[in-house]
């Protein structure tokens, strides 16, 4: 016994496993983490929350610099601002400007030198009169130094306000040794000491600082608190988290937003309780943090064209344009927003957010508890989702078909995204799942691509193996006269010089059968390979010219064997709407039918026209025009292989027109003559397809009302059947149906149609029964010397026995005709599908 050897390297599960391993090892790469952050940003922007109205921002903006001078300003201006805010009883003031160095005015520096010179022993030992003058100089010099000492003015304002908080900044990194010198007391007093080590996380790894810059003593000593303003940049350069505390030589210092929130609640440093790696509590507020003590800040979107936080110009407040009373009981943040000063950050809601505004978002997130949370079970959930997707990609997806696999993959992907957005928007939870989602999509793409190439490779091999078979089958079909099937087989063989000979003979066979359009197709196919073959160019031009003379058979007036060419020589072809008119095809029920072309897409169409002003009186025109377009609207709803397709309708000058499918064939009226009848099996095949078309139309509540051989097109060469002229059809559920109007050809009408009653699809089946009768025997089942006699016989008398006209008609055909022509609607076929089924059963027995 032999077993088929299967290479493991071709197994689908191996490709799935490789995808899973790739994403497992790249889960923490910058690319994957950046993708997670993009999904986080999208979820955050989809969440609607309102920021705290307790937070206000005063900006050192371009307007302020224009009016107050270049930055940095004298610190006395900031002192004036603090005095204004203190007088208006602001709750707490966060001045985000860095004060790491003294501000020494050049004039004060010179005065200080002069003062030192005046205090030299030589000058102090001079005459009394000189000493009096020097004392006056010393007094003026001292006053000048005091007037120019901006740091002293700002320090005084900070102390007097009693609610000002200043920033410090850490150089992040692990300390390499011991601290150079102890921090000053005014910095040390901000050290967080209320840390619940027992209740914290064992994985607590806070952000660490290796060095620190803090405000100068003159200013920092009077501040109520000093908090750090460090930000953490994600892998994609954006800021999403706020380190609420930073470790510095076994000490923990809070962020400025955390201190501002605490002070606004009248809490001190000792009231800030830390559960390391879990949360930070401010009284009754609990801020959830990660293992590094970071809060996932909620960044508020601008809404209705207004910014999340109102930003006021420093100059407008200082000048009184904006009253300082506005800031009563507010947390006021002062910082730079002007271009070129301060720091701008990339955040989920802005690509250029000034750092002072980032502080505002952080403070509001703490006070309103709007921060995002990574739940404790996040790690297990991510691992579980990853495992489910991995099993799907490795084990299940390779066993699924393309359609079912696509549906399940799409469902899983939608479920992951839906869960992500639901948790963020409704629960303020972030569960990173984009690695699993990406693995799902890439895994599906890899396996689908593998299947595609494997299938294509198999097709190429199968085509190569079957080329000779197709060639032989094509020759066999050609020998049997089945030229269409022969051409189809030849096109599956790679073309070469030997096949060109075969195709040339096939084209000649099409010409012999006067199927010039098909001969043209063969010669065009050959010309793509070798346009110089024999007399191919001449044959192609000749077959093209001959194919253009094929006439579309209509149910109305007949035309000559040749048609009139409307455009000749260098004369441009006439246009009707956007269509080029090539020639007249004949007369239709409502006017002339032309052969046309849509130049935009190259589609050949038959264009049915009606000359309104020539055919109808002015008072009838509107009704006739409405009927014309109702024809187009009704027929345009029908899309069936056995119904002529309507493409377009329009009106130009005195002509209304409909562009429809161009048919190469003729109607069945010519086959109703006793000496030109089609074989009964062919007739049954045609009528069955017409019944299918009517069944489809009736499901759309469209009744033809004029079924007859002249409205059925048949192309024997391609065995194509098409029902035409839905021009008098009515939508049976329309309130505009005129039940009293008799429309159609009387010889083919049902009794209820002649009576002027509202009709249903069974009336069309009656007309189809009349057509079947006529196509089988060459006579009509009802006839009369006058219209009145004809209508009476249709309504009251049975049809002429068809066996009396043609005795060899099979019994099943007689039964079908008799049922279709029943006077009572209940005794007829109730739908076209039922009639088609009976006809096909009959045809099978006849052919058998």
């Amino acid at each position: 016994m032999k077993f088929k050897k299967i290479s493991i390297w071709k197994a689908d599960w191996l490709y799935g496993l490789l995808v899973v391993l790739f994403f497992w090892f790249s889960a923490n790469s910058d690319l994957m983490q950046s993708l997670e952050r993009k999904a986080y940003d999208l979820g955050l922007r989809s969440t609607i929350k309102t920021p705290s109205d307790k937070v206000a921002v005063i900006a050192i903006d371009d307007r302020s610099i224009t009016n107050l001078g270049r930055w940095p300003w004298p610190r006395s201006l900031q002192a004036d601002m603090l005095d204004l805010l203190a007088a208006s009883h602001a709750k707490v003031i966060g001045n985000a400007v860095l004060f790491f160095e003294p501000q020494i005015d050049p004039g004060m520096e010179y005065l200080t030198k002069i003062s030192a010179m005046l205090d030299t022993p030589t000058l102090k030992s001079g005459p009394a009169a000189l000493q009096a003058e020097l004392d006056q100089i010393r007094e003026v010099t001292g006053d000048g130094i005091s007037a120019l000492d901006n740091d002293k003015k700002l320090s005084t304002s900070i102390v007097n306000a009693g609610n000002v908080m200043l920033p410090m900044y850490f150089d992040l990194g692990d300390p390499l040794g011991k601290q150079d010198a102890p921090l000053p007391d005014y910095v040390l007093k901000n050290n967080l000491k209320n840390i619940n080590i027992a209740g914290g996380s064992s994985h607590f790894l806070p952000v660490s600082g290796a060095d620190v810059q803090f405000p100068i003593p003159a200013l920092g000593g009077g501040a109520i608190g000093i908090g750090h303003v460090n930000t953490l940049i994600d892998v994609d350069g954006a800021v999403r988290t706020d380190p609420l505390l930073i470790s510095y030589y076994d000490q923990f210092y809070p962020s400025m937003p955390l201190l501002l929130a605490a002070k606004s609640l009248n809490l001190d440093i000792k009231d800030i309780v830390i559960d390391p790696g879990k949360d930070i509590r401010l009284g009754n507020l609990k801020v959830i943090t990660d293992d590094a003590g970071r809060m996932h800040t909620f960044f508020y979107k601008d809404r209705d064209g207004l910014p999340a936080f109102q930003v006021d110009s420093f100059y407008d407040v200082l000048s009184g344009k904006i009253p300082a009373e506005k800031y009563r009981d507010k947390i006021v943040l002062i910082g730079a927003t002007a271009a070129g000063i301060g720091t701008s950050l990339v955040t989920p809601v802005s690509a250029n957010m000034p750092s002072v505004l980032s502080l505002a978002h952080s403070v509001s997130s703490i006070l309103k508890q709007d921060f995002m949370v990574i739940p404790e079970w996040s790690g297990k959930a991510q691992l579980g989702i990853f495992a489910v997707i991995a099993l799907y990609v490795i084990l299940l997806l390779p066993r699924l078909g393309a359609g079912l696999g696509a549906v399940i993959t799409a469902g899983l992907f939608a479920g992951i995204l839906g869960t992500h957005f639901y948790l963020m928007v409704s629960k303020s939870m972030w569960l990173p799942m984009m690695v699993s989602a990406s693995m799902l999509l890439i895994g599906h793409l890899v396996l689908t691509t593998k299947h595609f190439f494997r299938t294509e490779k198999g097709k190429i091999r199968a085509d190569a193996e079957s080329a000779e078979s197709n060639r032989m089958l094509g020759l066999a079909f050609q020998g049997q006269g089945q030229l269409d099937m022969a051409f189809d087989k030849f096109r599956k063989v790679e073309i070469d010089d030997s096949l060109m000979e075969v195709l040339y003979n096939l084209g000649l066979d099409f010409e012999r059968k006067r199927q010039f359009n098909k001969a043209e197709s063969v010669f065009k196919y050959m010309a793509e390979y070798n346009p110089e073959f024999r007399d191919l160019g001449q044959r192609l031009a000749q077959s093209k010219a001959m194919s253009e003379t094929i006439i579309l058979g209509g149910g109305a007036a007949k035309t000559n064997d040749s048609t009139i060419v409307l455009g000749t020589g260098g004369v441009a072809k006439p246009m009707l709407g956007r269509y080029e008119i090539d020639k007249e095809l004949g007369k239709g029920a409502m006017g002339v039918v032309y052969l046309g072309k849509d130049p935009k897409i190259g589609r050949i169409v038959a264009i049915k026209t009606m000359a309104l002003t020539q055919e109808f009186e002015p008072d009838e025109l509107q009704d006739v025009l409405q009927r014309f377009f109702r024809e187009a609207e009704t027929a345009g709803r029908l899309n069936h292989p056995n119904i002529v397709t309507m493409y377009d309708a329009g009106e130009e000058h005195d002509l209304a027109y409909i562009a429809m499918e161009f048919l190469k064939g003729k109607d069945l009226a010519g086959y109703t003559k006793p000496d030109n009848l089609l074989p009964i099996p062919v007739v049954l095949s045609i009528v069955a397809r017409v019944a299918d078309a009517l069944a489809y139309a009736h499901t759309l509540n469209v009744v033809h009302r004029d079924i007859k051989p002249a409205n059925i097109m048949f192309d024997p060469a391609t065995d194509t059947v098409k029902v035409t002229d839905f021009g008098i059809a009515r939508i049976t559920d329309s309130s505009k149906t005129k039940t009293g109007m008799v429309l159609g050809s009387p010889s083919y009408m049902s009794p209820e149609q002649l009576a002027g009653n509202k009709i249903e699809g069974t009336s069309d089946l009656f007309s189809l029964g009349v057509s079947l009768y006529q196509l089988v025997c060459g006579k009509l089942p009802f006839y009369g010397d006058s219209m009145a006699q004809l209508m009476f016989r249709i309504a009251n008398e049975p049809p002429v026995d068809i066996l009396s006209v043609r005795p060899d008609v099979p019994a099943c055909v007689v039964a079908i005709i008799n049922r279709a022509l029943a006077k009572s609607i209940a005794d007829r076929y109730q739908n076209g599908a039922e009639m088609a089924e009976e006809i096909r059963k009959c045809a099978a027995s006849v052919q058998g």
Side-chain angles (χ1 to χ4, degrees):
M1 182 180 293
K2 295 182 178 180
F3 294 94
K4 186 177 180 180
K5 185 176 180 180
I6 301 176
S7 173
I8 189 175
W9 301 110
K10 296 182 180 179
D12 288 344
W13 65 264
L14 178 62
Y15 284 79
L17 178 60
L18 292 176
V19 171
V20 170
L21 291 176
F22 170 80
F23 278 93
W24 176 263
F25 288 108
S26 65
N28 292 320
S29 66
D30 287 352
L31 176 62
M32 289 295 105
Q33 291 304 308
S34 178
L35 184 61
E36 294 284 8
R37 269 58 180 181
K38 295 303 179 187
Y40 173 92
D41 293 350
L42 188 58
L44 187 142
R45 289 195 296 269
S46 301
T47 306
I48 299 175
K49 293 184 179 181
T50 304
S52 173
D53 58 0
K54 295 294 185 182
V55 180
V57 178
I58 297 178
I60 301 171
D61 55 2
D62 292 325
R63 172 178 170 80
S64 301
I65 292 175
T66 299
N67 287 277
L68 298 176
R70 292 180 54 189
W71 182 265
W73 299 325
R75 290 177 181 173
S76 59
L77 289 178
Q78 296 190 55
D80 294 340
M81 177 61 74
L82 294 182
D83 293 340
L84 277 175
L85 295 175
S88 66
H89 301 289
K91 184 70 175 181
V92 60
I93 303 170
N95 194 332
V97 178
L98 303 177
F99 298 112
F100 297 159
E101 296 179 352
Q103 186 181 74
I104 301 176
D105 188 280
M108 187 183 78
E109 184 177 1
Y110 286 114
L111 290 176
T112 302
K113 291 180 179 179
I114 293 172
S115 179
M117 294 172 60
L118 291 174
D119 287 336
T120 57
T122 303
L123 290 178
K124 285 186 176 182
S125 61
L130 177 61
Q131 288 301 321
E133 292 180 1
L134 290 175
D135 286 342
Q136 291 179 358
I137 295 174
R138 290 188 186 98
E139 182 179 355
V140 172
T141 302
D143 291 342
I145 292 173
S146 297
L148 295 176
D149 193 350
N150 289 311
D151 283 347
K152 185 176 181 180
K153 291 180 181 179
L154 181 56
S155 174
T156 300
S157 296
I158 291 174
V159 171
N160 291 339
N163 62 351
V164 179
M165 192 171 299
L166 298 180
M168 60 181 174
Y169 186 83
F170 288 93
D171 293 329
L172 300 182
D174 294 327
L176 299 179
K178 293 185 177 180
Q179 191 173 357
D180 291 338
L183 295 178
D185 290 342
Y186 64 87
V187 177
L188 284 172
K189 72 178 182 179
N190 297 283
N191 179 22
L192 296 167
K193 297 181 179 180
N194 198 348
I195 301 177
N196 182 13
I197 299 297
S201 170
S202 59
H203 303 291
F204 181 51
L205 293 172
V207 178
S208 179
D211 198 5
V212 62
Q213 300 179 69
F214 44 83
I216 59 175
L219 303 179
I224 60 166
I226 299 176
H228 77 79
V229 290
N230 287 80
T231 55
L232 299 179
I233 308 298
D234 272 340
V235 294
D236 58 354
V239 172
R240 297 177 181 87
T241 58
D242 188 356
L244 295 186
L245 53 87
I246 289 181
S247 171
Y248 181 71
Y249 290 101
D250 298 327
Q251 299 167 353
F252 296 97
Y253 289 95
S255 69
M256 193 171 190
L258 182 64
L259 272 185
L260 287 167
K263 293 298 183 180
S264 71
L265 300 174
N266 301 316
L267 300 176
D268 293 326
I269 287 293
K270 65 179 182 298
D271 297 317
I272 301 176
V273 181
I274 301 173
D275 283 342
K278 294 179 64 176
D279 58 63
I280 297 176
R281 292 192 298 277
L282 304 176
N284 291 327
L285 295 183
K286 179 187 287 188
V287 183
I288 307 299
T289 62
D290 61 11
D291 289 339
R294 297 173 299 187
M295 173 187 71
H296 283 80
T297 306
F298 185 87
F299 288 89
Y300 303 87
K301 294 188 302 181
D302 297 347
R303 295 180 62 185
D304 301 325
L306 299 175
F309 295 94
Q310 181 63 44
V311 179
D312 296 329
S313 171
F314 189 100
Y315 173 75
D316 288 343
V317 178
L318 190 64
S319 64
K321 184 176 181 180
I322 297 177
E325 184 64 24
K326 172 182 178 179
Y327 306 104
R328 179 179 290 271
D329 297 326
K330 302 277 189 180
I331 301 171
V332 182
L333 300 177
I334 302 175
T337 63
I341 64 172
T343 304
S344 292
L345 308 173
V346 178
T347 68
V349 298
S350 173
N352 187 26
M353 178 180 289
S355 57
V356 66
L357 279 179
S358 176
L359 293 178
H361 287 273
S362 294
V363 174
S364 180
S365 294
I366 294 172
L367 292 178
K368 295 202 68 181
Q369 302 281 273
D370 284 339
F371 43 80
M372 290 291 177
V373 174
I374 299 179
E376 294 181 359
W377 42 265
S378 171
K380 295 180 179 178
Q382 290 180 68
L383 185 60
I385 295 170
F386 187 93
V388 169
I389 300 302
L391 291 174
Y392 170 73
V393 171
I394 296 172
L395 301 179
L396 183 57
L397 183 57
R399 302 173 185 269
L400 300 177
L404 182 58
V407 170
I408 296 178
T409 297
L412 289 173
F413 186 73
I416 291 174
L417 290 185
T419 301
H420 168 81
F421 280 100
Y422 170 76
L423 290 176
M424 287 202 72
V425 174
S426 300
K427 303 296 182 182
S428 294
M429 290 183 180
W430 178 37
L431 184 63
M433 294 185 288
M434 290 305 106
V435 172
S436 297
S438 301
M439 181 175 69
L440 173 64
L441 292 182
I442 297 300
H444 185 92
L445 178 62
V446 168
L447 292 179
T448 302
T449 304
K450 178 179 179 293
H451 290 169
F452 173 79
F453 282 114
R454 183 173 62 190
T455 302
E456 288 300 308
K457 185 177 180 181
K459 286 181 179 179
I460 293 173
R461 184 167 58 250
D463 288 343
E465 293 173 353
S466 64
E468 189 60 28
S469 298
N470 286 323
R471 184 189 184 99
M472 297 305 296
L473 284 172
L475 290 171
F477 285 132
Q478 185 178 359
Q480 297 170 7
Q482 301 181 51
L483 305 184
D484 290 319
M485 298 184 69
F487 188 31
D488 183 62
K489 293 299 179 182
F490 290 146
R491 281 183 296 186
K492 294 180 180 179
V493 180
E494 185 175 358
I495 193 168
D496 56 19
D497 291 339
S498 63
L499 187 63
M500 287 285 283
E501 292 287 350
V502 176
L503 290 170
Y504 186 80
N505 291 329
L506 178 65
L508 296 180
D509 285 345
F510 274 123
E511 285 185 351
R512 294 185 188 101
K513 288 192 174 186
R514 300 187 62 80
Q515 295 179 345
F516 299 105
N517 60 319
K518 295 181 179 179
E520 181 187 358
S521 297
V522 174
F523 294 140
K524 277 185 177 180
Y525 181 70
M526 296 174 63
E528 292 177 0
Y529 176 74
N530 182 9
E532 304 299 327
F533 182 82
R534 289 195 184 185
D535 59 345
L536 183 59
Q538 180 182 347
R539 287 285 181 186
L540 180 58
Q542 177 180 321
S543 60
K544 182 178 180 181
M546 295 299 293
S547 67
E548 291 176 350
T549 66
I550 296 177
I551 302 172
L552 171 66
K558 301 299 177 185
T559 63
N560 297 327
D561 290 338
S562 62
T563 60
I564 301 173
V565 179
L566 299 177
T568 58
V571 180
K573 295 180 180 180
M575 302 289 292
L576 188 58
R578 70 171 186 269
Y579 299 98
E580 293 179 352
I581 303 301
D582 286 337
K583 65 187 71 173
E584 179 184 316
L585 294 177
K587 302 290 184 180
M590 302 183 73
V592 182
V593 180
Y594 296 99
L595 177 68
K597 178 181 179 181
D598 186 340
K600 292 185 178 178
I601 58 177
R603 174 189 283 157
I604 302 300
V605 296
I607 302 176
K608 180 178 181 181
T609 66
M610 181 173 68
L612 304 180
T613 57
Q614 296 177 15
E615 300 291 340
F616 300 98
E617 296 299 326
D619 57 344
E620 299 176 314
L621 284 177
Q622 188 62 32
D623 182 66
V624 172
L625 185 61
Q626 289 178 356
R627 177 182 167 192
F628 186 85
F629 284 109
R630 192 179 304 119
E631 170 186 355
E633 178 186 359
T634 302
R637 295 170 54 191
L638 305 178
N639 182 16
H640 191 274
N642 298 119
I643 297 177
V644 174
T645 303
M646 297 296 180
Y647 297 129
D648 190 12
E651 180 183 5
E652 184 169 299
H653 303 300
D654 60 343
L655 284 180
Y657 65 88
I658 295 176
M660 64 186 74
E661 179 182 6
F662 174 67
L663 302 176
K664 294 182 179 179
K666 58 184 179 178
D667 62 64
L668 294 178
Y671 297 110
T672 61
K673 308 302 181 184
D675 58 348
N676 191 36
L677 297 178
L678 293 168
I680 288 180
V682 175
V683 172
L684 292 177
S685 173
I686 292 172
V687 175
R689 282 177 278 177
V690 174
D692 288 334
L694 292 175
Y696 165 77
H698 295 163
T699 61
L700 297 180
N701 295 326
V702 177
V703 180
H704 190 287
R705 292 180 177 259
D706 195 18
I707 291 295
K708 58 185 178 182
N711 283 336
I712 301 172
M713 299 294 295
F714 176 58
D715 184 2
T718 59
D719 192 30
T720 302
V721 177
K722 297 275 187 176
V723 180
T724 67
D725 198 1
F726 274 82
I728 56 174
R730 302 293 183 191
I731 303 174
T732 59
D733 60 357
S734 171
S735 62
K736 297 181 179 179
T737 299
K738 298 181 179 179
T739 58
M741 183 180 292
V742 177
L743 299 171
S745 303
S747 295
Y748 301 90
M749 287 184 181
S750 65
E752 62 271 20
Q753 189 174 5
L754 288 171
N757 297 328
K758 185 174 180 179
I759 63 173
E760 305 290 341
T762 51
S763 177
D764 281 346
L765 300 182
F766 183 94
S767 301
L768 184 58
V770 176
S771 301
L772 175 59
Y773 185 108
Q774 188 180 22
L775 289 167
V776 168
C777 70
K779 299 288 184 180
L780 285 167
F782 306 101
Y783 59 90
D785 296 331
S786 65
M787 178 66 71
Q789 187 181 36
L790 173 64
M791 294 174 66
F792 177 82
R793 287 179 175 175
I794 293 175
N796 299 284
E797 296 181 2
V800 176
D801 185 2
I802 194 171
L803 294 176
S804 67
V805 182
R806 181 176 178 178
D808 64 338
V809 176
C812 61
V813 176
V814 175
I816 291 170
I817 291 173
N818 289 339
R819 185 176 177 186
L821 298 181
K823 307 295 181 187
S824 172
I825 295 175
D827 294 336
R828 293 181 211 152
Y829 294 104
Q830 297 302 300
N831 56 70
E834 182 183 1
M835 185 173 179
E837 183 180 0
E838 290 295 323
I839 292 173
R840 289 191 173 98
K841 288 180 180 178
C842 179
S845 65
V846 171
Q847 292 174 351

